[in-house]
Amino acid sequence: MSRMKIVWTGEGTYPYVTGGVSTWADILMHELKNIDFVLIPIQMHPYVKLKFNIPPNVVDIINVPLWGTEEPIEYIRKIKFSKIYEAKIKTQTDKNIEVLKPMIILVLDHIFRKREELDKLGDTLYEFYEYFHIYDYYETFRSEELWNIYKEYIIEHYQETEKELPTVFDMVEGLRYLYRFFIALLPTLPQAHIYHSSAAAFCGLSCIIAKKKFGSKFLLTEHGVYIREQYLAASRNQTPFRTKEFLLGLITLVSKLNFHFADIVSPVCDYNSRWEKKWGVDEKKIQTIYNGIDTNVFKQFPVEKDDDRPTVVMVARIDPLKDIETFIRTAHLVKKEIPNVLFKLYGPILDEKYYHHCQDLAEELGLEENFLFAGLTNNPQMAYNEGDVVMLTSISEAFPFVVIEAMACEKVVISSDVGGTKEVLEDFGFVIRPKDYQEFSDKVIYILQNPEIAIEMGRDAREFILNGFTTEDMVENYGRVYKTLYNEFLEEQKDVVYAK
Amino acid sequence: MLFMPNKDLSSLYRDITKDRGKPLDFWEVTALLEVYGIRDIDAQKDYGFDDVFAMAKYMMQYTDIKNYPVKSLVNFEKVPAFRIRIFKNYFRGLAFAMPMFVQIFFTLSIGYAIWSGIDMDQMKATVIAVGTFLALIVTGASAQAIGRKGLFYLKQGEVILASNITRVLLNVGYVFVVIVGILLIFLNMFFEIFPTYYFFIMISFYFLLSLLFLNISIYYMFEEYNNILYFFILGIIFVYIAHTFFQVQLPEAQFLALIFLDAIISFLAYKKLRDLKKKDVKSEGEGLPRASILFYSLIPFYLYGFLYFLFLVTDRLVAWSANIESKPYFIWFNVPYELGLDWALIALVLLMGLTEISIHEFMYRINDTVMKYQYKMFNEFNKEIYTFFKKFNIAYAIFSIFVILLTYFVMYFINLHGNYEFTKDFFKSFTPAVYWTSAISYAFMVNGLMNILFIFSFSRQNFSVKAISIATIVNLLVGVILSRMFGLEFAVVGLLVGSVVFWTYSFIYTLQMLKKLEFYYYSSF
């Protein structure tokens, strides 16, 4: 039996950006040594260094930068320049636009939610893939013929619209988005048993095409809720309404395609499946696989501290979604009861303006001696062990590593009830309504004033983590799913051979 | 659903959409509710809905109760008022051409500058000029490439890559310079075009100026035009001191100045690129493109840079090689002709200020207007920008006439009422005729440059190569024919016709672009 070969795809994460998704991917690559992996990371641009040691069973990396290149293909395909040039000349002289026209229109019909024929659209994506292996992507999208097809469509589509009419800018941005994001169709896909996408996003398009081309099985893992994150980003960016309509039409379409073609959808917590089901994922496909941590690293150990102050720790980046304000206000209330309490926040500053706002708030509440912005830590286990209590005040999470890491360190975790935190914390810590700093402070005070309870809860928390949330558990679960899909693939291939 | 009818959630709606764009659909409102901290259990207990999704659907009725901010392409707070920005941009553009102006100014006033000298013997003047032209032509290509690619990375905040690629392209530039230099040496060895001493002067100026031009291209990339000006002034001061106080002859004083300048600028430019890497810790410096694709994308810039400078010097080469039977060598510096051109260069410098105005005003207007016109009215959008283009060109024409006349009459009045020897030379021989013809040529050329800048900004650089190459060929052919038929000064007519051709081509292409601006705007990636 040949070695299992899996193509892993991601967006803005492994192996160029650190974070939860990257940590998860790195664990899988390192632990599943008997599997050959090929990585197809979609990046914003190509200017980043590897952040991880790539194990030998990662046999290839096909980078797909969406921005920052003069030629989309330059980093994506390792072909001779003469081939690129040939394709350019061919495209400039005869790009066979009549073939492209119905494909583009089908995509646009789906973006604007006029049709829903996902199987047909999947075939079309494969046709796009084949097309752009003959013709040059850049020349095609820069052609007037393509622009005219698109423009005619937009004019016709909005003919009856009376409110929020799109501007010329909105019209231009739509096709530009298509140009950018369909770059994800350009890599020459290797044959593999399984394609594993780490988001219901553009990185999943390769998985769909591979399914069509090779019959590969498609595993989709959702770490966050991609659709929700994109809605929030567009909202925050104050994107013009009709531009947003196109962008989110495209993104939700891509997510739906992912959900439709995936053989298994594995969210990292049950909470994520909430949005998935609303977007039409067949429940039978869903198999939650929780993230795991290294419980040999994340465990309780003594930490030398400068003083013996009761300490509350939070490990979170300084970003509005982490709601540092609530952490600060909690500190203010706890201080009234426990004057020498210390609240320590470990995390990098992602939003300077928000950081200064938090600093001002801490000062305003007289917390100079009780609140510390401790900066980035590369040693979160040390940070957790410094604390008598660990908090998390996020207003938006999927399944935060912070919670299970702190639990493994035998800490009582008091977290906002967001994402999948309740699934793991409910009987082993405290789950609080977001922003309810009064409730947060009550629980913190309770735990700080009852250290024996804290010890017992901490032990139970670790016990719970040891039974389902370790790296071994996670790897085993993915190994099992990979095996299932691998066997299905082999069966199907056998049927194909027999059919022939 | 435990829905409580008539529940007013408009206040909550305002809270969750604070500083946000108008929600597209209930999915967006759901996401906003969730990050506000509202869970399914809160939607049920506090608001009486089945879940957050149902609550969001209900709240869609509020989408029209407020106005929403929309991010604009133009940050109006940072854009100065029209008159101020015209003024600022004009002087920015002027700063770009100031080094050239300083060179001409000192040549005309004190008789010499870094690479020119009115009182030098004609042989020296010839070889220095030829060395200068070669340096401009050979380095012009690299300067364009450095400007393009260095700025490409700088604008993305990729300072490490900007530094690395600039060094790569600088090194390529040095290689070109050396290869051409070696070819020139062999050419002169075999064909004995110039005597050794004069050839030495020529090749020294060629190498020293090439080094200078390549290194200042880095400052052009950073748009530090003032620093370039200071370097030039420093160089001229050095020549002045060496020549006036230490009696060092020209061109030796100029050699020393160039060596001094080259040493300083090379060091400072190297330090600038090196310090770039220390500035920013965010950029990681990976991902330089493949050489083949890098140079494929830069070919139009290399060609354009090369041809642009070739175009600029063609008429001089044609004029100086005309009627050569009476001259010692195949090319011979002609003072009246050169004076006329230098005089006209003053007008060119004054017109260059408008290039910055044009590109800024166009981009500002396009980015502002593109969000104002409805999608169906793309022709009106195009027309608005075309109307501005028309008005700008009319203003340019008027301004250029004014500048050409001003430049002439300032010299005329200085000559009439002042008592300066050097001004008399401007009104001898065919110098005034060369002035008028070349000043008009430069007016067309600068307008053509503006069009080319516009075309570049829409990533349609291939056209620019076509325009400048045809213009150069026309310049050469017309100049050769007329100068051989009627006299060397008629070479300037080649410059005029070539400039008009350059302008016409670029103007027609720009008009075509403006007719379909929405398409070119879209495809400018």
Side-chain angles (χ1 to χ4, degrees):
Chain A
M1 199 188 282
S2 62
R3 272 170 74 93
M4 200 189 302
K5 188 169 179 181
I6 297 179
V7 173
W8 178 93
T9 71
E11 250 180 53
T13 59
Y14 188 73
Y16 298 106
V17 179
T18 53
V21 175
S22 296
T23 305
W24 160 84
D26 193 52
I27 291 170
L28 286 183
M29 307 297 155
H30 274 93
E31 296 301 318
L32 294 168
K33 296 178 175 44
N34 294 328
I35 297 175
D36 286 339
F37 284 95
V38 172
L39 310 184
I40 304 184
I42 294 183
Q43 307 149 244
M44 190 126 106
H45 57 67
Y47 310 133
V48 286
K49 290 185 172 147
L50 285 170
K51 300 293 187 304
F52 296 85
N53 290 323
I54 304 298
N57 59 320
V58 171
V59 298
D60 198 7
I61 304 178
I62 304 170
N63 294 309
V64 185
L66 299 185
W67 278 271
T69 61
E70 300 259 21
E71 278 292 325
I73 215 140
E74 69 184 278
Y75 296 92
I76 297 176
R77 286 191 207 151
K78 292 161 192 156
I79 55 173
K80 284 190 190 157
F81 175 71
S82 54
K83 294 273 177 221
I84 298 174
Y85 188 70
E86 237 176 82
K88 282 190 176 298
I89 300 300
K90 188 181 171 78
T91 311
Q92 281 164 14
T93 48
D94 170 32
K95 58 185 72 62
N96 202 3
I97 205 75
E98 288 314 307
V99 161
L100 206 53
K101 186 172 177 176
M103 291 155 63
I104 293 284
I105 288 176
L106 185 69
V107 169
L108 292 172
D109 278 347
H110 280 82
I111 288 171
F112 288 109
R113 300 176 188 173
K114 283 155 119 172
R115 283 157 82 170
E116 183 139 327
E117 298 167 33
L118 296 178
D119 283 318
K120 190 169 178 187
L121 191 56
D123 290 334
T124 301
L125 285 180
Y126 184 31
E127 286 165 30
F128 268 119
Y129 171 86
E130 298 279 278
Y131 181 92
F132 289 122
H133 273 75
I134 301 169
Y135 297 96
D136 186 82
Y137 187 82
Y138 183 69
E139 299 298 333
T140 304
F141 268 92
R142 287 238 301 174
S143 69
E144 209 175 331
E145 294 95 320
L146 183 62
W147 169 253
N148 287 335
I149 293 170
Y150 168 79
K151 189 170 78 180
E152 271 168 38
Y153 182 95
I154 295 294
I155 290 171
E156 209 241 299
H157 172 72
Y158 285 107
Q159 201 68 26
E160 307 300 319
T161 306
E162 285 170 5
K163 276 174 75 182
E164 300 282 353
L165 286 173
T167 61
V168 175
F169 174 79
D170 293 322
M171 185 166 69
V172 160
E173 280 300 276
L175 193 56
R176 276 190 180 166
Y177 278 132
L178 215 53
Y179 164 72
R180 273 304 150 203
F181 292 121
F182 269 23
I183 287 175
L185 296 174
L186 295 183
T188 304
L189 300 177
Q191 198 154 3
H193 304 103
I194 299 167
Y195 269 65
H196 185 178
S197 176
S198 61
F202 294 93
C203 52
L205 295 182
S206 296
C207 306
I208 297 167
I209 294 166
K211 190 163 182 161
K212 295 279 172 190
K213 191 174 164 72
F214 308 121
S216 307
K217 303 306 278 186
F218 179 4
L219 170 61
L220 170 64
T221 296
E222 275 230 285
H223 293 268
V225 183
Y226 185 76
I227 293 178
R228 193 180 79 149
E229 285 161 21
Q230 298 308 312
Y231 266 107
L232 288 171
S235 173
R236 202 166 42 237
N237 293 336
Q238 298 169 0
T239 308
F241 189 80
R242 290 294 177 195
T243 302
K244 189 159 62 173
E245 180 188 36
F246 190 98
L247 175 63
L248 290 169
L250 176 60
I251 285 172
T252 53
L253 170 64
V254 166
S255 288
K256 277 201 282 197
L257 279 166
N258 273 271
F259 294 144
H260 180 76
F261 284 99
D263 295 295
I264 292 179
V265 177
S266 66
V268 297
C269 57
D270 289 336
Y271 181 82
N272 282 1
S273 62
R274 211 169 131 266
W275 274 70
E276 288 163 5
K277 285 174 202 163
K278 290 280 183 191
W279 278 91
V281 178
D282 185 352
E283 273 198 60
K284 291 198 281 274
K285 280 196 212 183
I286 299 178
Q287 285 186 35
T288 300
I289 303 180
Y290 288 103
N291 284 334
I293 55 166
D294 186 348
T295 47
N296 293 319
V297 169
F298 292 99
K299 60 185 181 189
Q300 194 191 51
F301 55 82
V303 168
E304 222 173 277
K305 292 203 287 190
D306 293 333
D307 49 46
D308 212 14
R309 294 167 72 173
T311 307
V312 179
V313 162
M314 184 156 94
V315 177
R317 59 183 188 268
I318 299 177
D319 177 274
L321 284 180
K322 297 300 180 184
D323 194 13
I324 310 300
E325 266 193 62
T326 296
F327 190 53
I328 295 171
R329 290 186 191 283
T330 305
H332 174 60
L333 292 180
V334 172
K335 180 192 169 180
K336 289 180 183 175
E337 196 69 29
I338 306 174
N340 68 336
V341 74
L342 176 63
F343 275 65
K344 272 179 106 164
L345 173 62
Y346 283 97
I349 301 165
L350 241 67
D351 186 326
E352 282 283 344
K353 200 174 160 190
Y354 184 69
Y355 171 60
H356 292 303
H357 167 72
C358 292
Q359 277 184 315
D360 293 343
L361 178 64
E363 205 179 296
E364 189 189 310
L365 296 175
L367 291 170
E368 293 87 345
E369 304 300 320
N370 302 88
F371 195 96
L372 179 65
F373 290 94
L376 173 68
T377 178
N378 291 321
N379 199 339
Q381 58 271 32
M382 180 92 87
Y384 302 133
N385 278 293
E386 267 185 46
D388 299 294
V389 172
V390 173
M391 269 180 67
L392 184 66
T393 53
S394 302
I395 50 176
S396 176
E397 286 285 357
F399 188 72
F401 270 106
V402 161
V403 169
I404 55 176
E405 285 169 356
M407 287 171 72
C409 294
E410 297 185 35
K411 298 296 159 188
V412 174
V413 178
I414 305 172
S415 169
S416 47
D417 181 14
V418 290
T421 51
K422 200 173 188 168
E423 293 165 45
V424 73
L425 202 51
E426 192 150 32
D427 297 318
F428 303 100
F430 296 101
V431 175
I432 310 290
R433 182 179 176 151
K435 301 187 181 189
D436 191 345
Y437 49 86
Q438 181 63 63
E439 186 66 18
F440 269 109
S441 66
D442 289 346
K443 294 293 184 275
V444 168
I445 291 166
Y446 172 71
I447 289 298
L448 289 178
Q449 289 178 340
N450 292 280
E452 309 80 22
I453 294 175
I455 291 169
E456 200 183 316
M457 284 181 74
R459 280 206 193 108
D460 290 343
R462 180 173 172 86
E463 200 53 45
F464 180 68
I465 295 299
L466 288 173
N467 288 303
F469 295 89
T470 64
T471 304
E472 291 78 18
D473 294 320
M474 182 181 85
V475 170
E476 198 185 300
N477 287 326
Y478 276 104
R480 178 180 43 77
V481 169
Y482 284 155
K483 195 80 201 290
T484 304
L485 290 173
Y486 175 70
N487 289 334
E488 279 177 24
F489 173 84
L490 291 179
E491 270 306 307
E492 282 166 17
Q493 291 302 302
K494 232 191 288 180
D495 294 341
V496 166
V497 168
Y498 282 135
K500 282 181 184 164
Chain B
M1 184 173 84
L2 308 168
F3 173 59
M4 285 172 257
N6 299 321
K7 191 168 182 70
D8 182 5
L9 299 178
S10 57
S11 174
L12 174 63
Y13 179 83
R14 284 181 198 278
D15 282 346
I16 66 172
T17 55
K18 185 168 182 277
D19 297 330
R20 305 264 181 175
K22 181 175 180 176
L24 182 68
D25 51 30
F26 80 91
W27 297 107
E28 188 169 342
V29 177
T30 306
L32 292 172
L33 285 168
E34 288 183 353
V35 296
Y36 192 74
I38 293 178
R39 307 162 292 172
D40 283 339
I41 192 161
D42 305 315
Q44 286 158 13
K45 284 194 176 154
D46 298 344
Y47 299 98
F49 295 97
D50 287 345
D51 57 26
V52 182
F53 297 98
M55 186 172 171
K57 279 183 186 162
Y58 176 81
M59 288 176 82
M60 281 301 290
Q61 66 182 285
Y62 299 118
T63 52
D64 290 332
I65 65 170
K66 58 178 270 192
N67 293 324
Y68 299 88
V70 174
K71 203 161 206 165
S72 142
L73 293 174
V74 178
N75 187 346
F76 291 98
E77 283 168 29
K78 289 197 174 157
V79 174
F82 176 71
R83 279 188 195 153
I84 296 173
R85 66 175 191 264
I86 295 296
F87 188 78
K88 270 177 124 171
N89 285 326
Y90 180 75
F91 280 98
R92 241 174 89 90
L94 221 54
F96 181 88
M98 261 302 148
M100 200 178 359
F101 177 79
V102 155
Q103 175 73 10
I104 297 163
F105 175 80
F106 281 102
T107 305
L108 298 180
S109 54
I110 66 173
Y112 54 84
I114 302 175
W115 64 78
S116 56
I118 287 177
D119 297 325
M120 269 191 246
D121 70 69
Q122 273 181 280
M123 188 63 220
K124 279 185 189 168
T126 303
V127 293
I128 289 171
V130 170
T132 307
F133 297 157
L134 285 167
L136 281 170
I137 293 167
V138 172
T139 61
S142 294
Q144 282 287 318
I146 288 168
R148 164 70 178 187
K149 206 65 186 175
L151 207 51
F152 173 77
Y153 287 116
L154 273 182
K155 286 201 165 151
Q156 294 180 74
E158 293 298 329
V159 293
I160 296 177
L161 288 175
S163 173
N164 290 347
I165 202 70
T166 303
R167 267 204 265 197
V168 165
L169 295 175
L170 205 55
N171 290 338
V172 169
Y174 291 143
V175 166
F176 280 154
V177 167
V178 167
I179 289 172
V180 169
I182 292 172
L183 280 170
L184 289 170
I185 291 169
F186 277 115
L187 258 170
N188 201 66
M189 267 171 60
F190 286 120
F191 297 105
E192 293 180 3
I193 302 166
F194 295 122
T196 309
Y197 172 67
Y198 291 107
F199 180 76
F200 172 77
I201 294 174
M202 190 207 88
I203 205 74
S204 302
F205 267 95
Y206 165 71
F207 277 118
L208 289 170
L209 284 173
S210 295
L211 196 58
L212 179 72
F213 295 151
L214 279 175
N215 282 293
I216 64 171
S217 70
I218 293 170
Y219 285 87
Y220 273 116
M221 180 183 86
F222 282 102
E223 297 175 338
E224 292 180 12
Y225 308 138
N226 290 342
N227 283 339
I228 300 168
L229 178 62
Y230 302 148
F231 288 138
F232 272 65
I233 292 172
L234 184 68
I236 291 167
I237 291 171
F238 191 101
V239 177
Y240 180 80
I241 292 171
H243 185 58
T244 310
F245 296 107
F246 293 94
Q247 310 327 264
V248 179
Q249 294 305 305
L250 300 175
E252 286 78 10
Q254 292 162 321
F255 281 151
L256 290 173
L258 278 172
I259 291 170
F260 169 69
L261 261 190
D262 279 342
I264 292 180
I265 297 177
S266 300
F267 170 71
L268 290 175
Y270 165 77
K271 193 169 172 300
K272 202 165 183 58
L273 290 180
R274 190 197 59 190
D275 289 349
L276 204 52
K277 289 190 185 188
K278 291 182 195 169
K279 254 187 192 174
D280 191 273
V281 296
K282 285 183 199 149
S283 64
E284 296 173 24
E286 292 292 302
L288 268 182
R290 279 158 59 178
S292 54
I293 291 179
L294 171 69
F295 287 104
Y296 172 74
S297 68
L298 288 176
I299 281 171
F301 298 95
Y302 272 112
L303 285 174
Y304 179 76
F306 168 76
L307 289 166
Y308 172 74
F309 284 101
L310 183 62
F311 174 84
L312 273 183
V313 307
T314 294
D315 68 292
R316 282 177 172 89
L317 295 173
V318 168
W320 297 353
S321 58
N323 306 329
I324 212 63
E325 307 77 23
S326 56
K327 312 237 173 77
Y329 294 99
F330 82 97
I331 190 163
W332 195 249
F333 186 89
N334 185 280
V335 173
Y337 191 87
E338 185 59 27
L339 273 180
L341 286 178
D342 283 349
W343 190 4
L345 280 174
I346 297 173
L348 180 145
V349 166
L350 292 172
L351 289 173
M352 283 296 264
L354 296 177
T355 54
E356 280 292 309
I357 294 176
S358 85
I359 201 64
H360 277 92
E361 289 301 311
F362 268 110
M363 287 307 135
Y364 165 72
R365 270 167 183 68
I366 288 170
N367 286 329
D368 184 33
T369 315
V370 78
M371 294 185 99
K372 287 188 175 152
Y373 279 95
Q374 280 178 20
Y375 69 108
K376 267 193 290 200
M377 299 176 72
F378 55 89
N379 284 324
E380 284 76 2
F381 159 70
N382 298 343
K383 203 170 170 201
E384 179 165 329
I385 305 302
Y386 166 70
T387 305
F388 174 73
F389 175 76
K390 223 172 38 180
K391 284 184 186 166
F392 186 86
N393 276 280
I394 292 169
Y396 176 85
I398 296 168
F399 185 74
S400 57
I401 292 169
F402 167 72
V403 160
I404 292 170
L405 291 171
L406 177 77
T407 311
Y408 181 84
F409 283 107
V410 162
M411 192 61 81
Y412 179 81
F413 283 116
I414 293 173
N415 185 52
L416 200 62
H417 300 291
N419 199 15
Y420 305 104
E421 268 309 306
F422 78 91
T423 59
K424 294 184 183 8
D425 291 332
F426 283 88
F427 296 91
K428 290 178 186 167
S429 186
F430 46 66
T431 302
V434 169
Y435 166 77
W436 288 113
T437 316
S438 53
I440 295 167
S441 309
Y442 291 145
F444 276 103
M445 199 192 77
V446 170
N447 196 276
L449 279 178
M450 288 182 207
N451 296 331
I452 293 295
L453 260 181
F454 185 77
I455 292 163
F456 270 174
S457 60
F458 288 91
S459 303
R460 297 280 170 178
Q461 48 269 15
N462 289 342
F463 170 78
S464 62
V465 177
K466 211 166 147 181
I468 195 72
S469 47
I470 292 170
T472 306
I473 292 168
V474 166
N475 183 354
L476 178 70
L477 287 175
V478 171
V480 163
I481 292 168
L482 292 182
S483 62
R484 273 54 177 169
M485 280 174 68
F486 301 112
L488 71 89
E489 68 274 23
F490 284 87
V492 78
V493 179
L495 176 66
L496 176 64
V497 176
S499 299
V500 170
V501 164
F502 178 63
W503 172 81
T504 308
Y505 246 96
S506 63
F507 187 78
I508 291 172
Y509 192 81
T510 306
L511 282 181
Q512 284 171 357
M513 281 181 69
L514 288 170
K515 280 195 182 127
K516 298 177 189 174
L517 185 62
E518 89 290 354
F519 161 63
Y520 286 99
Y521 181 79
Y522 148 71
S523 62
S524 59
F525 45 76

